[in-house]
C-alpha cells in the first residue's frame, strides 16, 4: 500500500520531479539504493547516459552529493522511504535544501526513534498505526471495495 503513494495522481501533481519509492530494510545497501534513486531521477529528466556508471557510489557522501545535484537542478520530488529502522538509514537520502525542492516521507514501525536524530528543520507528523478497521478501509480504497466484498478478483 505504501508504494501506492508514489502513483497517486494528486501526489504526482504536487511533485512534478517524481515520487520515488524505496524499501530500505534492516541492513540497506545504501550506496546501491542511492544509485538506484539517482538513476530514476536522471531518467525522468533524461540528463545522463549510464553506460559508464558502475551501479553504486564509492561512498555515501558521493551519493548524497549526486542526489543533491539532481534534486536542486530538477523539479520538486518526493522520496518515500519504507521500512526504515535506524536514524542513520535516513542520512544518505537527505538531499533537499530549504529551497522547497522536495520532501521525504518516512515509514517505520519505530518512527519516533528513526526521526530522533533528524537534523533538518522540517515539519514532522507522526501518525499512529492504523486500527484493523482503518487498515481495511485503506485497503478497500486502494484496491477497490468490489474485490474485498466478493473475496477475490476473477481469475
Amino acid at each position: 500500500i505504501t508504494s501506492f503513494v508514489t502513483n497517486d495522481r494528486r501526489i504526482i501533481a504536487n511533485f512534478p520531479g517524481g515520487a520515488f519509492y524505496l524499501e530500505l530494510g534492516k541492513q540497506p545497501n545504501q550506496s546501491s539504493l542511492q544509485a538506484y534513486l539517482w538513476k530514476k531521477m536522471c531518467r525522468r529528466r533524461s540528463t545522463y547516459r549510464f553506460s559508464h556508471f558502475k551501479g553504486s557510489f564509492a561512498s555515501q557522501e558521493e551519493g548524497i552529493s549526486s542526489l543533491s545535484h539532481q534534486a536542486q537542478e530538477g523539479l520538486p520530488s518526493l522520496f518515500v522511504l519504507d521500512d526504515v529502522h535506524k536514524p542513520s538509514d535516513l542520512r544518505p537520502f537527505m538531499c533537499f535544501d530549504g529551497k522547497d525542492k522536495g520532501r521525504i516521507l518516512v515509514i517505520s514501525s519505530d518512527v519516533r526513534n528513526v526521526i530522533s536524530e533528524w537534523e533538518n528543520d522540517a515539519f514532522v507528523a507522526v501518525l499512529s498505526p492504523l486500527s484493523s478497521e482503518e487498515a481495511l478501509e485503506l485497503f478497500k480504497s486502494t484496491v477497490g471495495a468490489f474485490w474485498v466484498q466478493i473475496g477475490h478478483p476473477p481469475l
Side-chain angles (χ1 to χ4, degrees):
I1 293 177
T2 55
S3 63
F4 176 75
V5 169
T6 61
N7 295 309
D8 184 276
R9 71 176 200 273
R10 294 167 296 184
I11 291 172
I12 292 169
N14 284 303
F15 296 100
F20 307 98
Y21 173 82
L22 283 177
E23 183 174 347
L24 274 61
K26 286 190 178 189
Q27 295 181 336
N29 181 335
Q30 293 168 329
S31 292
S32 293
L33 289 170
Q34 285 176 313
Y36 172 80
L37 188 56
W38 178 77
K39 285 191 268 186
K40 289 277 197 188
M41 292 174 79
C42 289
R43 282 192 182 115
R44 199 154 163 86
R45 294 182 59 217
S46 302
T47 58
Y48 190 81
R49 298 191 189 279
F50 300 103
S51 58
H52 300 328
F53 185 68
K54 53 191 176 305
S56 68
F57 293 110
S59 68
Q60 287 183 14
E61 289 72 25
E62 180 186 8
I64 292 170
S65 175
S66 297
L67 285 172
S68 294
H69 179 73
Q70 278 299 319
Q72 299 315 311
E73 294 294 318
L75 297 169
S77 301
L78 171 68
F79 296 170
V80 179
L81 304 179
D82 191 9
D83 199 18
V84 181
H85 289 265
K86 302 180 301 244
S88 60
D89 293 343
L90 291 175
R91 186 179 175 280
F93 305 99
M94 303 298 282
C95 64
F96 300 119
D97 66 11
K99 297 180 182 152
D100 208 26
K101 286 292 190 174
R103 299 282 187 269
I104 299 174
L105 172 62
V106 177
I107 300 166
S108 174
S109 59
D110 189 14
V111 73
R112 290 194 192 280
N113 176 52
V114 168
I115 64 171
S116 67
E117 296 178 25
W118 194 272
E119 295 176 2
N120 285 348
D121 183 20
F123 171 76
V124 175
V126 177
L127 306 176
S128 300
L130 299 177
S131 69
S132 296
E133 295 80 23
E134 292 169 324
L136 182 59
E137 277 304 310
L138 179 60
F139 183 70
K140 284 182 190 179
S141 70
T142 304
V143 299
F146 176 75
W147 301 125
V148 173
Q149 289 171 355
I150 65 168
H152 59 79
L155 299 175

Short mmCIF file of all heavy atoms in Angstrom, two decimals, residues 59-101:
data_model
loop_
_atom_site.label_atom_id
_atom_site.label_comp_id
_atom_site.label_asym_id
_atom_site.label_seq_id
_atom_site.Cartn_x
_atom_site.Cartn_y
_atom_site.Cartn_z
N SER A 59 31.00 6.14 -2.10
CA SER A 59 30.74 6.47 -0.69
C SER A 59 29.35 7.08 -0.57
O SER A 59 28.77 7.52 -1.56
CB SER A 59 31.78 7.46 -0.17
OG SER A 59 31.62 8.72 -0.81
N GLN A 60 28.84 7.12 0.66
CA GLN A 60 27.56 7.77 0.90
C GLN A 60 27.63 9.26 0.57
O GLN A 60 26.67 9.83 0.06
CB GLN A 60 27.12 7.60 2.35
CG GLN A 60 26.66 6.21 2.68
CD GLN A 60 26.18 6.11 4.12
OE1 GLN A 60 25.95 7.11 4.78
NE2 GLN A 60 26.03 4.89 4.60
N GLU A 61 28.77 9.88 0.85
CA GLU A 61 28.94 11.30 0.56
C GLU A 61 28.83 11.58 -0.93
O GLU A 61 28.22 12.56 -1.34
CB GLU A 61 30.28 11.81 1.11
CG GLU A 61 30.34 11.88 2.62
CD GLU A 61 30.40 10.51 3.32
OE1 GLU A 61 30.88 9.53 2.70
OE2 GLU A 61 29.95 10.43 4.47
N GLU A 62 29.44 10.70 -1.75
CA GLU A 62 29.32 10.86 -3.21
C GLU A 62 27.87 10.71 -3.64
O GLU A 62 27.37 11.46 -4.47
CB GLU A 62 30.19 9.83 -3.93
CG GLU A 62 30.11 9.95 -5.44
CD GLU A 62 30.84 8.83 -6.19
OE1 GLU A 62 31.30 7.86 -5.56
OE2 GLU A 62 30.91 8.94 -7.42
N GLY A 63 27.17 9.77 -3.03
CA GLY A 63 25.75 9.57 -3.34
C GLY A 63 24.90 10.76 -2.94
O GLY A 63 24.04 11.21 -3.70
N ILE A 64 25.15 11.30 -1.74
CA ILE A 64 24.40 12.48 -1.28
C ILE A 64 24.66 13.66 -2.21
O ILE A 64 23.73 14.38 -2.60
CB ILE A 64 24.79 12.85 0.17
CG1 ILE A 64 24.28 11.78 1.13
CG2 ILE A 64 24.21 14.21 0.56
CD1 ILE A 64 24.82 11.92 2.56
N SER A 65 25.92 13.85 -2.60
CA SER A 65 26.27 14.95 -3.50
C SER A 65 25.55 14.80 -4.85
O SER A 65 24.99 15.77 -5.37
CB SER A 65 27.78 14.99 -3.70
OG SER A 65 28.12 15.96 -4.65
N SER A 66 25.55 13.59 -5.39
CA SER A 66 24.89 13.35 -6.69
C SER A 66 23.38 13.53 -6.59
O SER A 66 22.76 14.14 -7.46
CB SER A 66 25.22 11.95 -7.19
OG SER A 66 26.61 11.82 -7.42
N LEU A 67 22.78 13.01 -5.52
CA LEU A 67 21.33 13.18 -5.32
C LEU A 67 21.00 14.66 -5.12
O LEU A 67 20.01 15.15 -5.67
CB LEU A 67 20.85 12.36 -4.12
CG LEU A 67 20.74 10.86 -4.32
CD1 LEU A 67 20.43 10.17 -2.99
CD2 LEU A 67 19.68 10.51 -5.36
N SER A 68 21.82 15.36 -4.35
CA SER A 68 21.58 16.79 -4.11
C SER A 68 21.62 17.57 -5.40
O SER A 68 20.79 18.45 -5.64
CB SER A 68 22.62 17.36 -3.13
OG SER A 68 22.47 16.79 -1.88
N HIS A 69 22.60 17.26 -6.25
CA HIS A 69 22.71 17.95 -7.54
C HIS A 69 21.45 17.72 -8.37
O HIS A 69 20.88 18.66 -8.92
CB HIS A 69 23.95 17.48 -8.29
CG HIS A 69 24.11 18.12 -9.62
ND1 HIS A 69 24.50 19.43 -9.77
CD2 HIS A 69 23.89 17.65 -10.87
CE1 HIS A 69 24.51 19.74 -11.06
NE2 HIS A 69 24.17 18.66 -11.74
N GLN A 70 21.01 16.47 -8.47
CA GLN A 70 19.79 16.17 -9.23
C GLN A 70 18.58 16.86 -8.63
O GLN A 70 17.74 17.41 -9.34
CB GLN A 70 19.54 14.66 -9.29
CG GLN A 70 20.32 13.94 -10.33
CD GLN A 70 20.00 14.43 -11.74
OE1 GLN A 70 18.86 14.68 -12.09
NE2 GLN A 70 21.03 14.57 -12.54
N ALA A 71 18.48 16.84 -7.29
CA ALA A 71 17.33 17.45 -6.62
C ALA A 71 17.28 18.96 -6.86
O ALA A 71 16.21 19.51 -7.11
CB ALA A 71 17.39 17.16 -5.12
N GLN A 72 18.42 19.62 -6.80
CA GLN A 72 18.44 21.06 -6.94
C GLN A 72 18.28 21.51 -8.39
O GLN A 72 17.77 22.59 -8.65
CB GLN A 72 19.72 21.65 -6.34
CG GLN A 72 19.86 21.36 -4.86
CD GLN A 72 18.58 21.59 -4.06
OE1 GLN A 72 17.94 22.63 -4.20
NE2 GLN A 72 18.19 20.62 -3.27
N GLU A 73 18.67 20.67 -9.33
CA GLU A 73 18.53 21.01 -10.74
C GLU A 73 17.14 20.71 -11.27
O GLU A 73 16.72 21.26 -12.27
CB GLU A 73 19.57 20.24 -11.57
CG GLU A 73 20.99 20.64 -11.29
CD GLU A 73 21.30 22.06 -11.70
OE1 GLU A 73 20.84 22.48 -12.78
OE2 GLU A 73 21.98 22.75 -10.93
N GLY A 74 16.42 19.82 -10.60
CA GLY A 74 15.13 19.38 -11.12
C GLY A 74 13.95 20.02 -10.44
O GLY A 74 14.06 20.98 -9.68
N LEU A 75 12.80 19.47 -10.72
CA LEU A 75 11.54 19.92 -10.13
C LEU A 75 11.35 19.25 -8.77
O LEU A 75 12.01 18.26 -8.47
CB LEU A 75 10.40 19.54 -11.07
CG LEU A 75 10.43 20.22 -12.45
CD1 LEU A 75 9.42 19.57 -13.38
CD2 LEU A 75 10.16 21.71 -12.32
N PRO A 76 10.45 19.76 -7.93
CA PRO A 76 10.22 19.15 -6.62
C PRO A 76 9.91 17.67 -6.71
O PRO A 76 9.12 17.23 -7.55
CB PRO A 76 9.02 19.94 -6.07
CG PRO A 76 9.11 21.26 -6.75
CD PRO A 76 9.63 20.95 -8.14
N SER A 77 10.54 16.89 -5.83
CA SER A 77 10.40 15.43 -5.82
C SER A 77 9.98 14.96 -4.43
O SER A 77 10.14 15.67 -3.45
CB SER A 77 11.73 14.77 -6.18
OG SER A 77 12.19 15.16 -7.44
N LEU A 78 9.49 13.73 -4.39
CA LEU A 78 9.13 13.09 -3.13
C LEU A 78 9.85 11.76 -3.05
O LEU A 78 9.82 10.96 -3.98
CB LEU A 78 7.61 12.85 -3.08
CG LEU A 78 7.10 11.99 -1.91
CD1 LEU A 78 7.27 12.74 -0.58
CD2 LEU A 78 5.64 11.62 -2.12
N PHE A 79 10.53 11.52 -1.92
CA PHE A 79 11.11 10.22 -1.64
C PHE A 79 10.23 9.55 -0.59
O PHE A 79 9.98 10.11 0.47
CB PHE A 79 12.52 10.32 -1.07
CG PHE A 79 13.56 10.91 -1.98
CD1 PHE A 79 14.80 11.24 -1.48
CD2 PHE A 79 13.31 11.13 -3.32
CE1 PHE A 79 15.78 11.78 -2.30
CE2 PHE A 79 14.28 11.67 -4.15
CZ PHE A 79 15.52 12.00 -3.63
N VAL A 80 9.76 8.35 -0.87
CA VAL A 80 9.01 7.55 0.09
C VAL A 80 9.95 6.44 0.56
O VAL A 80 10.26 5.53 -0.21
CB VAL A 80 7.72 6.96 -0.52
CG1 VAL A 80 6.98 6.10 0.50
CG2 VAL A 80 6.82 8.07 -1.06
N LEU A 81 10.44 6.56 1.78
CA LEU A 81 11.39 5.61 2.33
C LEU A 81 10.65 4.70 3.30
O LEU A 81 10.20 5.14 4.36
CB LEU A 81 12.54 6.33 3.04
CG LEU A 81 13.30 7.36 2.19
CD1 LEU A 81 14.39 8.02 3.01
CD2 LEU A 81 13.88 6.72 0.94
N ASP A 82 10.52 3.45 2.93
CA ASP A 82 9.74 2.48 3.69
C ASP A 82 10.65 1.53 4.46
O ASP A 82 11.78 1.27 4.05
CB ASP A 82 8.86 1.69 2.72
CG ASP A 82 7.81 0.85 3.42
OD1 ASP A 82 7.62 0.97 4.64
OD2 ASP A 82 7.16 0.04 2.71
N ASP A 83 10.15 1.01 5.56
CA ASP A 83 10.85 0.03 6.38
C ASP A 83 12.19 0.57 6.87
O ASP A 83 13.23 -0.08 6.79
CB ASP A 83 11.02 -1.28 5.59
CG ASP A 83 11.32 -2.47 6.50
OD1 ASP A 83 11.07 -2.37 7.72
OD2 ASP A 83 11.82 -3.48 5.98
N VAL A 84 12.16 1.80 7.40
CA VAL A 84 13.35 2.45 7.93
C VAL A 84 13.51 2.01 9.38
O VAL A 84 12.58 2.09 10.17
CB VAL A 84 13.23 3.99 7.85
CG1 VAL A 84 14.49 4.65 8.39
CG2 VAL A 84 12.97 4.41 6.41
N HIS A 85 14.72 1.55 9.74
CA HIS A 85 14.95 1.01 11.08
C HIS A 85 15.79 1.89 11.98
O HIS A 85 15.64 1.85 13.20
CB HIS A 85 15.61 -0.38 10.99
CG HIS A 85 14.66 -1.41 10.49
ND1 HIS A 85 13.95 -2.22 11.32
CD2 HIS A 85 14.29 -1.75 9.24
CE1 HIS A 85 13.17 -3.02 10.61
NE2 HIS A 85 13.37 -2.75 9.34
N LYS A 86 16.73 2.67 11.41
CA LYS A 86 17.65 3.46 12.23
C LYS A 86 17.75 4.88 11.69
O LYS A 86 17.62 5.08 10.47
CB LYS A 86 19.05 2.84 12.22
CG LYS A 86 19.12 1.41 12.71
CD LYS A 86 20.55 0.89 12.66
CE LYS A 86 21.10 0.92 11.30
NZ LYS A 86 21.47 -0.19 10.57
N PRO A 87 18.02 5.85 12.57
CA PRO A 87 18.21 7.22 12.10
C PRO A 87 19.31 7.33 11.04
O PRO A 87 19.19 8.10 10.09
CB PRO A 87 18.59 7.99 13.37
CG PRO A 87 18.03 7.19 14.48
CD PRO A 87 18.09 5.75 14.03
N SER A 88 20.36 6.55 11.18
CA SER A 88 21.48 6.63 10.23
C SER A 88 21.07 6.17 8.82
O SER A 88 21.73 6.52 7.85
CB SER A 88 22.66 5.79 10.72
OG SER A 88 22.28 4.44 10.87
N ASP A 89 19.96 5.43 8.72
CA ASP A 89 19.49 4.99 7.39
C ASP A 89 18.94 6.14 6.57
O ASP A 89 18.87 6.06 5.34
CB ASP A 89 18.40 3.91 7.53
CG ASP A 89 18.93 2.61 8.11
OD1 ASP A 89 20.17 2.41 8.11
OD2 ASP A 89 18.11 1.80 8.57
N LEU A 90 18.54 7.24 7.22
CA LEU A 90 17.99 8.40 6.52
C LEU A 90 19.06 9.29 5.90
O LEU A 90 18.85 9.89 4.85
CB LEU A 90 17.15 9.25 7.47
CG LEU A 90 15.85 8.65 7.95
CD1 LEU A 90 15.21 9.57 8.97
CD2 LEU A 90 14.92 8.39 6.79
N ARG A 91 20.20 9.40 6.56
CA ARG A 91 21.23 10.34 6.14
C ARG A 91 21.59 10.28 4.65
O ARG A 91 21.71 11.31 4.01
CB ARG A 91 22.49 10.15 6.99
CG ARG A 91 23.54 11.19 6.70
CD ARG A 91 24.79 11.01 7.57
NE ARG A 91 25.80 11.96 7.16
CZ ARG A 91 26.59 11.79 6.11
NH1 ARG A 91 26.50 10.72 5.36
NH2 ARG A 91 27.49 12.71 5.80
N PRO A 92 21.74 9.10 4.06
CA PRO A 92 22.13 9.05 2.65
C PRO A 92 21.09 9.63 1.67
O PRO A 92 21.38 9.80 0.49
CB PRO A 92 22.32 7.56 2.38
CG PRO A 92 22.54 6.95 3.70
CD PRO A 92 21.75 7.77 4.67
N PHE A 93 19.90 9.94 2.17
CA PHE A 93 18.85 10.44 1.28
C PHE A 93 18.45 11.87 1.60
O PHE A 93 17.50 12.40 1.03
CB PHE A 93 17.64 9.50 1.36
CG PHE A 93 18.02 8.08 1.07
CD1 PHE A 93 18.24 7.18 2.09
CD2 PHE A 93 18.22 7.67 -0.24
CE1 PHE A 93 18.64 5.88 1.82
CE2 PHE A 93 18.63 6.37 -0.52
CZ PHE A 93 18.83 5.48 0.51
N MET A 94 19.18 12.51 2.50
CA MET A 94 18.88 13.88 2.91
C MET A 94 19.52 14.85 1.92
O MET A 94 20.58 15.40 2.17
CB MET A 94 19.39 14.13 4.33
CG MET A 94 18.83 13.18 5.37
SD MET A 94 17.06 13.29 5.54
CE MET A 94 16.93 14.76 6.49
N CYS A 95 18.88 15.05 0.79
CA CYS A 95 19.50 15.84 -0.27
C CYS A 95 18.71 17.10 -0.63
O CYS A 95 19.11 17.82 -1.54
CB CYS A 95 19.68 14.97 -1.51
SG CYS A 95 18.14 14.41 -2.22
N PHE A 96 17.64 17.38 0.08
CA PHE A 96 16.86 18.57 -0.24
C PHE A 96 17.27 19.71 0.69
O PHE A 96 17.46 19.51 1.88
CB PHE A 96 15.36 18.29 -0.07
CG PHE A 96 14.85 17.19 -0.96
CD1 PHE A 96 14.30 16.05 -0.41
CD2 PHE A 96 14.93 17.31 -2.33
CE1 PHE A 96 13.83 15.03 -1.23
CE2 PHE A 96 14.46 16.29 -3.16
CZ PHE A 96 13.92 15.15 -2.60
N ASP A 97 17.40 20.90 0.12
CA ASP A 97 17.72 22.05 0.95
C ASP A 97 16.46 22.87 1.21
O ASP A 97 15.36 22.43 0.92
CB ASP A 97 18.83 22.90 0.31
CG ASP A 97 18.38 23.56 -0.98
OD1 ASP A 97 17.18 23.55 -1.31
OD2 ASP A 97 19.25 24.11 -1.68
N GLY A 98 16.61 24.05 1.72
CA GLY A 98 15.47 24.88 2.08
C GLY A 98 14.77 25.55 0.92
O GLY A 98 13.91 26.38 1.11
N LYS A 99 15.15 25.21 -0.31
CA LYS A 99 14.54 25.86 -1.47
C LYS A 99 13.31 25.13 -1.97
O LYS A 99 12.89 25.28 -3.11
CB LYS A 99 15.57 25.99 -2.59
CG LYS A 99 16.72 26.89 -2.20
CD LYS A 99 17.72 27.00 -3.31
CE LYS A 99 18.86 27.88 -2.85
NZ LYS A 99 20.10 27.56 -3.50
N ASP A 100 12.74 24.29 -1.11
CA ASP A 100 11.48 23.59 -1.40
C ASP A 100 11.56 22.72 -2.65
O ASP A 100 10.65 22.71 -3.47
CB ASP A 100 10.34 24.59 -1.51
CG ASP A 100 9.01 23.95 -1.13
OD1 ASP A 100 9.03 22.98 -0.36
OD2 ASP A 100 7.97 24.40 -1.63
N LYS A 101 12.65 21.98 -2.80
CA LYS A 101 12.81 21.10 -3.95
C LYS A 101 12.34 19.67 -3.68
O LYS A 101 12.45 18.82 -4.55
CB LYS A 101 14.27 21.06 -4.41
CG LYS A 101 14.69 22.32 -5.12
CD LYS A 101 13.99 22.44 -6.45
CE LYS A 101 14.55 23.54 -7.28
NZ LYS A 101 14.00 23.58 -8.61
#
